[in-house]
Amino acid sequence: MQISYNWLKQFIKLDWPSHKTAELLTDLGLEVEGITPFESVKGGLKGIVVGQILSCEKHSNADTLKLTSVDIGSGVPVQIVCGAPNVAKGQKVPVATIGTTLYTPEGEAWQIKKGKIRGEESLGMICAEDELGLGSDHDGIMVLDESLVPGTPCSEVFGVERDEVFEIGLTPNRADAMSHFGVARDLKAGLRQQEVDKELITPSVSQFGIDNRSLKVQVTVDDSKAAPRYCGVTISNLKVKPSPDWLQNRLRAIGVKPINNVVDVTNYVLHDLGQPLHAFDAERIHEHKIIVKTLPEGTKFMTLDGEERSLHEDDLMICDAEKPMCIAGVFGGINTGVTEKTKAIFLESAYFNPVSVRKTAKRHGLNTDASFRFERGIDIENVEYALKRATLLIRELAGGDITSDIVDFYPKRTDEQQVFLTFRKTYSLIGQEIAQDTIKSILASLDIKVKSVTEAGLGLSIPSYRVDVQREVDVIEEILRIYGYNNIDFKNKLNASIATTHKFEDYKLQHTIGDFLAAQGFFEIMANSLTSPEYSDFLGDGFGKSDVSMLNPLGTELSVMRQSLLFSGLEAVSYNINRRNRDLKFFEFGKTYHQTDKSRIEKKRLSLFLTGNRYGDSWAIAEKRTDFYYLKSIVTNILERLGIPETIPIPTENPIFSEGLTLTVNSKALISVGTVRQSILKKMDIKQETLYAEFDWDHLMVLAKKNEISFREIPKYPEVKRDFALLLEDSITFQQVYELGRRTEKKLLKHINLFDVYKGDKLPEGKKSYAVSFTLQDSQGTLTDKQIDKIMDKLQRSYKEELGGELR
């Protein structure tokens, strides 16, 4: 939110430098994230001075150029070559001196330099209106008032306004501070705590009065729950034209584009007092009737941006006798807006239900200054006052008469929230005692009225504009905010209790595996749990029915909870590849969300992503691509690190993989690992092979906790290795070879390793050769040749009988 310092000073006369005010606002909870200078004319006309043309002669080498001598107040006239058709001797003109920076209409800067034009020296430039940013005219140079003195800065002549704009990171609960008046109100409370007493200047509306009752608009509110208060008044015989400079400068300073005097006043009051307003062209209100109601589902309505929207049955609309005119609290319609032909208006000021406005705005993908305030809750008691304030400003700037009584639909008045504040609770939450007089002073500065006083605490009445203060703890937060967090004493002693935790706590194992993966060159990512529903189509038929959908999504692309970590990770992969970071290793701990017939389910997952080269570019290491086996080795190491028993791999049926495996324990899927299908990669704009593994982390934790770590001495006796070159059918997998070897010799066989696979012309058709090594070891003694030969013979027989394997 942008707050103009000059505008702020209209409410509270303060001569502090901006940085000091920013520090106080930040201490009060209105964090100032930056301060931006503003000038009503870009560049502030620095280096532009008034000059008097002493002589004007024809250029000797150009028919359209003039050679002028100009007095710029320096005591020595300067020569300037000028091509404007209206330049003449005796004129007072704006002169850009050497070194001055000017700006094009597009904002591009360029500098005035000493130079020669057709052989004649030129020491500056006599400027046109558009060259100074004062208008769009470029037919000739500007001619100034003859009474001006040469050398006078043009910034003084044209009244360039300079301002500083605070960028405030407003928290969603601070609806009361969504205006310059609201910020000034907080600033006054903070200054009072620092013993700087400043008056809060409230704009007067005492001059409001009805001129006649010649234009009455009948207002009917059908839905008082969605529109608890609705006010309006008519203004006739006004003239729509550009706003005066002071109003345009105020709006431009905070990034609002001026439109015309009527619309600018509504925007001004919105940022001035925090009350959204809307002006309707009264001549376009059919039968001079306004009806606040909802319309049937699918009703078409064209908004000010020229887009036709299909209305929801719960969208609250401002209608006349025959058509909708405005989406209440969100956006106006294109057919009833104020134009330069408008002669009379109906000015609306209302309080709309925050929930209703938010749902409507989200449904239509709209985020306006009005909806921003209505969604958070404005002051319902400020509605009529803001209407009068805007009416008086419009009458001042556009003329006209107030031609109706104020219509004020307010059937059920809102009572101020009552809260009892206990001193004991206050001291307990703050951490130290604050004098009761100080507490009362802070509450008074916040317009919180003390209704009763007891030894235990205070009975309080909360002002209507503090919609976020509902409970005792909210009041305590307000007291602490104004008292100052920096004024709370810190104790030298720190008390803490030691919590007993299990060695297999989730977070501990996450740290263990995270550290392992980081050591392997992986980077951890944290992705949004919200995602696009179209990703469910890639997960297979029926997955769309399992989506957990958001009631009020930020947009279609973030409208469901993710059912897989794959797509959010691929978004990160695509983002990096598009920025030439092609060798990637990512991991993420996250949750997936699933809708069942009876409930919703959360599942914790660990995902791994690999793409590109295994290692970065290096002269010492040859380029090597990541592949399935590299990813599977990472997966295997994770399982070993957690002490998970051996898994059984089966071909995966997961539709996200073109090929891969599902590792199971006790017939339950634990990990899916494989190569991501090309159709998915194409959708994500990824052109290189990408590998993915997803762990069922919840199941993994259950298995890890069953792992009992026991001590075992390092064997004293040596290992023995023997190799087989087995000729096998092409359909036989190493997993079958491994499992059969383990079953055949359970006591002395420690490791089985596949170190070569051969397929070629020298082998019979349909055959392949596995080179397998076997590691044997006896913890009780050195193995003899007889023992080794016996084991190897037994292994050979098993492979021949069960797998048809023969030694080559």
Side-chain angles (χ1 to χ4, degrees):
M1 183 182 71
Q2 293 182 317
I3 294 294
S4 157
Y5 199 16
N6 287 349
W7 196 338
L8 197 62
K9 290 176 182 177
Q10 292 179 191
F11 295 109
I12 188 164
K13 301 299 183 184
L14 189 64
D15 57 2
W16 282 11
S18 59
H19 68 86
K20 187 175 180 181
T21 303
E23 288 175 4
L24 178 55
L25 288 173
T26 298
D27 288 343
L28 292 170
L30 303 177
E31 182 181 1
V32 176
E33 298 174 341
I35 303 175
T36 305
F38 169 80
E39 294 169 324
S40 56
V41 178
K42 190 171 180 64
L45 299 183
K46 294 176 183 175
I48 314 292
V49 299
V50 175
Q52 182 174 11
I53 300 176
L54 302 178
S55 65
C56 180
E57 300 174 359
K58 185 179 178 181
H59 194 292
S60 58
N61 296 320
D63 294 336
T64 59
L65 298 180
K66 302 288 179 63
L67 197 62
T68 65
S69 176
V70 185
D71 176 10
I72 60 172
S74 62
V76 179
V78 297
Q79 180 173 286
I80 298 177
V81 177
C82 180
N86 64 328
V87 63
K89 179 181 177 180
Q91 291 174 334
K92 298 287 179 68
V93 293
V95 177
T97 56
I98 299 299
T100 298
T101 299
L102 296 179
Y103 297 87
T104 65
E106 293 76 28
E108 185 178 346
W110 58 287
Q111 194 175 60
I112 302 296
K113 298 179 180 179
K114 178 180 177 180
K116 285 188 176 184
I117 301 177
R118 294 291 184 94
E120 294 289 349
E121 190 174 53
S122 185
L123 302 175
M125 187 175 84
I126 303 174
C127 300
E129 183 181 281
D130 65 331
E131 292 165 336
L132 298 179
L134 297 172
S136 58
D137 186 12
H138 194 71
D139 292 337
I141 59 170
M142 289 187 75
V143 180
L144 306 178
D145 192 285
E146 292 183 1
S147 63
L148 295 174
V149 178
T152 303
C154 282
S155 59
E156 297 177 8
V157 175
F158 294 102
V160 174
E161 182 177 345
R162 291 179 172 83
D163 197 358
E164 292 174 288
V165 180
F166 301 121
E167 183 65 40
I168 294 179
L170 194 68
T171 53
N173 64 307
R174 292 302 308 277
D176 62 296
M178 293 187 296
S179 66
H180 286 76
F181 184 72
V183 174
R185 193 164 45 200
D186 243 27
L187 191 58
K188 176 181 178 293
L191 290 168
R192 185 172 179 180
Q193 180 62 23
Q194 296 191 10
E195 300 181 353
V196 179
D197 201 5
K198 292 288 182 178
E199 178 188 1
L200 184 64
I201 302 169
T202 304
S204 173
V205 293
S206 60
Q207 298 298 315
F208 182 88
I210 300 166
D211 297 306
N212 58 69
R213 294 176 174 83
S214 59
L215 182 58
K216 181 180 178 181
V217 173
Q218 180 183 337
V219 174
T220 303
V221 179
D222 288 350
D223 191 344
S224 60
K225 183 178 179 182
R229 189 174 189 183
Y230 189 91
C231 293
V233 70
T234 61
I235 308 170
S236 303
N237 304 317
L238 50 75
K239 185 176 180 181
V240 178
K241 57 184 179 181
S243 297
D245 289 342
W246 72 265
L247 179 52
Q248 292 196 37
N249 290 340
R250 286 286 180 269
L251 296 177
R252 285 195 182 104
I254 59 171
V256 177
K257 181 182 178 181
I259 299 173
N260 58 55
N261 49 2
V262 174
V263 176
D264 290 351
V265 165
T266 63
N267 287 330
Y268 178 82
V269 172
L270 180 145
H271 293 280
D272 193 55
L273 302 176
Q275 172 65 47
L277 303 162
H278 191 75
F280 299 93
D281 189 327
E283 294 178 2
R284 300 184 183 185
I285 301 175
H286 191 67
E287 295 183 10
H288 289 166
K289 290 182 179 180
I290 282 186
I291 307 167
V292 183
K293 62 181 181 178
T294 56
L295 294 173
E297 179 86 26
T299 301
K300 302 300 181 183
F301 177 66
M302 185 169 289
T303 46
L304 279 170
D305 57 0
E307 183 175 339
E308 187 177 68
R309 302 178 188 275
S310 181
L311 300 178
H312 187 272
E313 61 182 356
D314 293 330
D315 292 338
L316 187 68
M317 302 296 295
I318 311 300
C319 307
D320 64 13
E322 67 173 14
K323 64 183 181 300
M325 300 189 297
C326 176
I327 303 176
V330 181
F331 211 18
I334 199 167
N335 295 319
T336 55
V338 174
T339 68
E340 59 184 14
K341 297 180 180 179
T342 299
K343 302 299 180 184
I345 64 168
F346 176 79
L347 186 61
E348 167 197 278
S349 179
Y351 177 94
F352 298 116
N353 183 281
V355 175
S356 173
V357 172
R358 176 171 174 77
K359 287 183 177 181
T360 296
K362 295 304 177 187
R363 271 194 292 266
H364 296 289
L366 294 169
N367 182 22
T368 62
D369 285 335
S371 67
F372 178 81
R373 285 157 178 79
F374 280 125
E375 287 174 14
R376 287 155 178 78
I378 61 170
D379 181 8
I380 196 170
E381 298 299 332
N382 196 42
V383 170
E384 184 181 11
Y385 169 73
L387 179 65
K388 290 181 177 180
R389 167 86 166 131
T391 301
L392 290 173
L393 281 171
I394 289 173
R395 192 166 65 172
E396 175 187 338
L397 302 181
D401 303 314
I402 300 173
T403 51
S404 75
D405 293 307
I406 290 180
V407 178
D408 189 1
F409 175 84
Y410 194 12
K412 186 178 180 181
R413 294 199 168 267
T414 304
D415 296 327
E416 290 187 341
Q417 182 75 19
Q418 305 298 310
V419 174
F420 188 78
L421 175 70
T422 59
F423 296 124
R424 183 176 179 181
K425 181 76 169 179
T426 303
Y427 303 151
S428 172
L429 284 182
I430 291 177
Q432 72 181 50
E433 289 193 15
I434 297 177
Q436 293 184 17
D437 288 342
T438 301
I439 292 176
K440 293 176 184 177
S441 174
I442 291 173
L443 293 173
S445 70
L446 292 169
D447 296 335
I448 297 176
K449 301 171 187 175
V450 178
K451 293 292 188 179
S452 63
V453 181
T454 67
E455 290 185 3
L458 305 172
L460 306 174
S461 181
I462 311 300
S464 58
Y465 64 80
R466 289 312 305 267
V467 294
D468 60 318
V469 180
Q470 302 287 324
R471 306 164 297 166
E472 182 184 15
V473 289
D474 298 328
V475 177
I476 296 171
E477 180 186 3
E478 290 300 296
I479 293 170
L480 181 55
R481 187 172 62 84
I482 302 302
Y483 182 76
Y485 292 98
N486 295 333
N487 295 324
I488 303 299
D489 296 331
F490 287 90
K491 296 180 180 179
N492 294 326
K493 181 181 178 183
L494 179 64
N495 296 326
S497 57
I498 299 175
T500 57
T501 59
H502 194 273
K503 62 183 178 181
F504 291 114
E505 289 288 343
D506 190 323
Y507 75 92
K508 289 186 175 181
L509 293 180
Q510 280 194 48
H511 285 319
T512 298
I513 300 306
D515 289 344
F516 165 75
L517 290 170
Q520 300 299 314
F522 281 77
F523 288 90
E524 184 172 9
I525 61 174
M526 297 178 68
N528 198 334
S529 294
L530 297 175
T531 189
S532 171
E534 67 178 26
Y535 290 151
S536 298
D537 298 337
F538 291 111
L539 299 176
D541 295 337
F543 271 86
K545 298 178 182 178
S546 301
D547 280 335
V548 179
S549 301
M550 305 299 293
L551 292 176
N552 299 306
L554 296 173
T556 306
E557 70 280 359
L558 296 174
S559 60
V560 299
M561 307 290 281
R562 61 183 177 181
Q563 292 193 63
S564 171
L565 304 190
L566 173 67
F567 300 102
S568 52
L570 289 179
E571 287 174 354
V573 170
S574 176
Y575 183 89
N576 277 270
I577 290 174
N578 289 337
R579 285 152 184 80
R580 301 193 178 188
N581 187 16
R582 302 181 183 280
D583 305 326
L584 303 171
K585 297 179 181 179
F586 289 155
F587 74 95
E588 180 185 9
F589 289 99
K591 289 185 176 181
T592 59
Y593 306 86
H594 312 268
Q595 178 75 55
T596 65
D597 293 337
K598 297 181 180 179
S599 63
R600 299 186 182 102
I601 300 173
E602 290 185 17
K603 297 179 181 179
K604 193 155 192 178
R605 306 289 193 190
L606 164 63
S607 63
L608 306 181
F609 296 86
L610 281 177
T611 187
N613 292 324
R614 190 177 302 188
Y615 310 107
D617 294 338
S618 173
W619 64 271
I621 304 174
E623 183 179 286
K624 189 172 185 180
R625 303 290 290 180
T626 54
D627 55 24
F628 172 82
Y629 298 102
Y630 177 60
L631 179 58
K632 187 171 181 292
S633 71
I634 298 292
V635 170
T636 303
N637 286 330
I638 290 174
L639 294 176
E640 289 180 356
R641 185 69 182 82
L642 295 175
I644 304 298
E646 294 182 0
T647 58
I648 298 175
I650 58 174
T652 186
E653 297 179 357
N654 195 323
I656 66 174
F657 296 118
S658 59
E659 56 182 353
L661 295 174
T662 295
L663 306 183
T664 65
V665 174
N666 299 326
S667 300
K668 184 174 182 179
L670 182 64
I671 305 163
S672 294
V673 55
T675 304
V676 181
R677 211 171 67 220
Q678 279 298 319
S679 59
I680 296 178
L681 296 180
K682 184 178 180 180
K683 176 70 175 177
M684 306 301 293
D685 193 29
I686 298 173
K687 298 180 176 62
Q688 60 192 54
E689 184 181 68
T690 301
L691 300 148
Y692 175 67
E694 185 169 290
F695 295 70
D696 184 341
W697 187 258
D698 293 325
H699 189 199
L700 208 63
M701 291 301 94
V702 173
L703 296 174
K705 289 175 182 178
K706 294 179 179 179
N707 176 38
E708 294 185 1
I709 299 174
S710 57
F711 170 77
R712 184 173 61 188
E713 287 186 357
I714 297 175
K716 298 178 181 179
Y717 301 99
E719 294 179 343
V720 175
K721 287 188 177 182
R722 292 289 187 271
D723 298 338
F724 275 168
L726 292 171
L727 187 63
L728 299 163
E729 294 290 336
D730 201 29
S731 59
I732 302 296
T733 65
F734 174 67
Q735 184 69 25
Q736 293 174 277
V737 173
Y738 181 89
E739 291 175 356
L740 179 56
R742 284 293 194 182
R743 292 199 305 270
T744 302
E745 176 54 50
K746 298 179 180 180
K747 182 179 178 182
L748 300 180
L749 181 59
K750 303 301 181 183
H751 302 290
I752 303 175
N753 181 50
L754 176 65
F755 62 89
D756 188 38
V757 178
Y758 175 72
K759 295 180 181 179
D761 298 337
K762 297 180 180 179
L763 298 180
E765 185 176 352
K767 297 285 186 175
K768 64 182 175 183
S769 174
Y770 273 178
V772 184
S773 68
F774 301 87
T775 302
L776 308 174
Q777 188 178 41
D778 188 350
S779 60
Q780 304 301 319
T782 301
L783 288 170
T784 63
D785 290 338
K786 186 177 180 180
Q787 288 176 295
I788 296 169
D789 292 340
K790 183 179 179 181
I791 293 170
M792 297 308 294
D793 289 343
K794 185 166 59 173
L795 287 169
Q796 183 182 349
R797 285 195 302 274
S798 295
Y799 287 134
K800 184 174 183 179
E801 292 171 1
E802 298 194 30
L803 300 180
E806 297 180 357
L807 294 182
R808 288 183 64 199

